């Protein structure tokens, strides 16, 4: 088997040349990073779970007409995707105060926001992904005004759908990060959803207990990361009930840690 050509390696994924022009293979790693890669570690099996969760969500989004780069899952850690020109903007969609928003504005974590807030950051690990405004985006030509309208509209559609999807399995969608890309048809560029949607890039809390079921368990040294990711997959119907593949009770996990 010929060795595949690596196109790009990020903090959580590797992109390889795809089998056909205009395609890539996206490989999900077990590497975990936080605080712009200042904290690094490994969550065993995370890549497998994120691949499956992201496939499930992107497939569902496709059925409601959200254009995405996802084509199909290839195996436990890889999926075939469309090659896109990534827009260098991270889109944060916030429903509940948490993380940096709570710190910046002094709002107690867990406070329901009066309306959904969309924030933007410039994609740059070297600069720490600084927050930017529409003015910065327009001034530096990172995206056109029409593209930003499309991005904002898609972000709200994705948020509305995901809030309902997760609420249906007892999970509160606190906030999440999206990335978008352009696909070209001659001189016409179209915006589509790219990257992934998984517990790596979403804050997901149990509706009854506020137990964190996402990467905050790694960020805040809470432990139980694998169990939390498994719990999300189980509630979405992607893991069987019971057996070794099911999540441990998070309360049981805390008792083991003596917390």
């Amino acid at each position: 088997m010929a060795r595949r050509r690596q196109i790009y390696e990020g903090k959580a994924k590797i992109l390889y040349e795809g089998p056909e022009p205009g395609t890539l293979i996206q490989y999900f790693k077990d590497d975990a990073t936080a605080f712009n890669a200042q904290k690094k570690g490994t969550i065993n099996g995370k890549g497998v779970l994120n691949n499956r969760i992201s496939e499930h969500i992107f497939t569902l989004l496709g059925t409601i007409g959200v254009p995405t780069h996802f084509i199909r899952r290839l195996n436990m850690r890889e999926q075939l995707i469309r090659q896109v020109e990534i827009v260098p903007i991270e889109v944060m969609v916030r429903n509940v105060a948490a993380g940096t928003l709570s710190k910046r504005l002094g709002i107690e974590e867990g406070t329901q926001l009066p309306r959904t807030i969309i924030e933007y950051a410039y994609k740059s690990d070297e600069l720490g992904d600084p927050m930017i405004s529409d003015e910065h985006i327009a001034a530096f030509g990172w995206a056109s005004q029409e593209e930003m309208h499309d991005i904002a509209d898609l972000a709200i559609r994705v948020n509305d759908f995901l809030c309902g999807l997760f609420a249906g399995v007892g999970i509160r969608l606190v906030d999440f990060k999206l990335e978008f890309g352009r696909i070209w048809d001659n001189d016409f560029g179209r915006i589509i959803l790219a990257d992934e949607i998984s517990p790596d890039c979403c804050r997901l809390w149990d509706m009854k207990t506020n137990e964190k079921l996402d990467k905050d368990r790694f960020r805040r040294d809470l432990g139980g990361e694998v169990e939390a990711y498994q719990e999300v997959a189980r509630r979405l119907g992607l893991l069987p009930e019971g057996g070794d593949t099911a999540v441990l009770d998070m309360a049981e996990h805390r008792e083991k840690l003596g917390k």
Side-chain angles (χ1 to χ4, degrees):
M1 180 177 173
R3 186 173 181 180
R4 297 179 302 187
R5 184 166 70 93
Q6 182 175 313
I7 304 297
Y8 169 81
E9 181 169 3
K11 290 175 284 191
K13 294 182 291 297
I14 303 174
L15 296 179
Y16 295 99
E17 188 174 47
E20 300 170 2
T23 66
L24 296 172
I25 294 172
Q26 182 168 254
Y27 175 92
F28 287 75
K29 302 192 292 184
D30 285 347
D31 295 359
T33 63
F35 313 116
N36 292 309
Q38 293 178 34
K39 180 178 181 179
K40 298 180 181 180
T42 301
I43 303 174
N44 291 327
K46 174 175 78 78
V48 173
L49 290 163
N50 282 351
N51 183 25
R52 189 70 180 88
I53 292 168
S54 192
E55 173 209 11
H56 179 67
I57 292 175
F58 271 66
T59 299
L60 291 176
L61 288 172
T63 65
I64 65 165
V66 174
T68 79
H69 73 164
F70 178 79
I71 299 174
R72 66 179 182 274
R73 182 165 61 92
L74 298 174
N75 53 49
M76 291 180 70
R77 287 188 179 270
E78 295 178 332
Q79 52 185 234
L80 185 67
I81 61 172
R82 294 178 180 84
Q83 186 169 15
V84 301
E85 178 187 319
I86 288 290
V87 177
I89 298 166
E90 290 186 349
V91 181
M92 284 85 69
V93 183
R94 300 184 181 275
N95 300 306
V96 178
T100 57
L101 182 69
S102 291
K103 292 177 183 177
R104 268 188 283 129
L105 303 181
I107 302 173
E108 184 179 356
E109 190 163 79
T111 302
Q112 184 70 39
L113 298 174
R115 53 168 286 180
T116 297
I117 295 173
I118 299 179
E119 297 180 326
Y120 304 113
Y122 178 54
K123 274 179 61 64
S124 170
D125 291 338
E126 295 78 15
L127 300 175
D129 300 328
M131 282 190 63
I132 54 175
S133 68
D134 290 286
E135 288 293 314
H136 295 101
I137 295 166
F140 295 109
W142 292 322
S144 69
Q145 188 173 33
E146 183 179 357
E147 287 176 328
M148 289 309 299
H149 282 313
D150 289 343
I151 285 172
D153 287 346
L154 286 170
I156 292 298
R157 286 182 65 192
V158 171
N159 182 56
D160 289 345
F161 180 80
L162 291 185
C163 281
L165 175 69
F166 284 119
V169 294
I171 295 175
R172 189 182 189 191
L173 179 60
V174 173
D175 59 35
F176 60 103
K177 173 182 72 71
L178 296 175
E179 293 188 22
F180 293 88
R182 299 181 188 93
I183 54 173
W184 293 94
D185 182 8
N186 295 320
D187 292 332
F188 176 73
R190 183 164 64 99
I191 292 292
I192 67 172
L193 183 64
D195 196 41
E196 67 175 300
I197 298 178
S198 73
D200 262 15
C201 52
C202 301
R203 278 194 173 90
L204 304 169
W205 295 357
D206 180 89
M207 279 187 161
K208 293 181 179 177
T209 66
N210 283 333
E211 194 75 65
K212 293 174 173 59
L213 302 174
D214 55 67
K215 200 168 75 170
D216 268 352
R217 304 201 69 84
F218 172 75
R219 292 187 188 98
R220 303 184 185 190
D221 297 317
L222 299 174
E225 297 93 345
V226 174
E227 291 87 353
Y229 282 51
Q230 285 180 341
E231 176 70 357
V232 174
R234 184 187 65 78
R235 292 198 195 184
L236 291 172
L238 307 177
L239 286 179
E241 295 280 351
D244 294 338
T245 54
V247 68
L248 298 176
D249 187 330
M250 296 306 293
E252 181 182 324
H253 168 76
R254 284 199 305 275
E255 286 178 11
K256 287 182 179 178
L257 294 178
K259 293 183 178 180

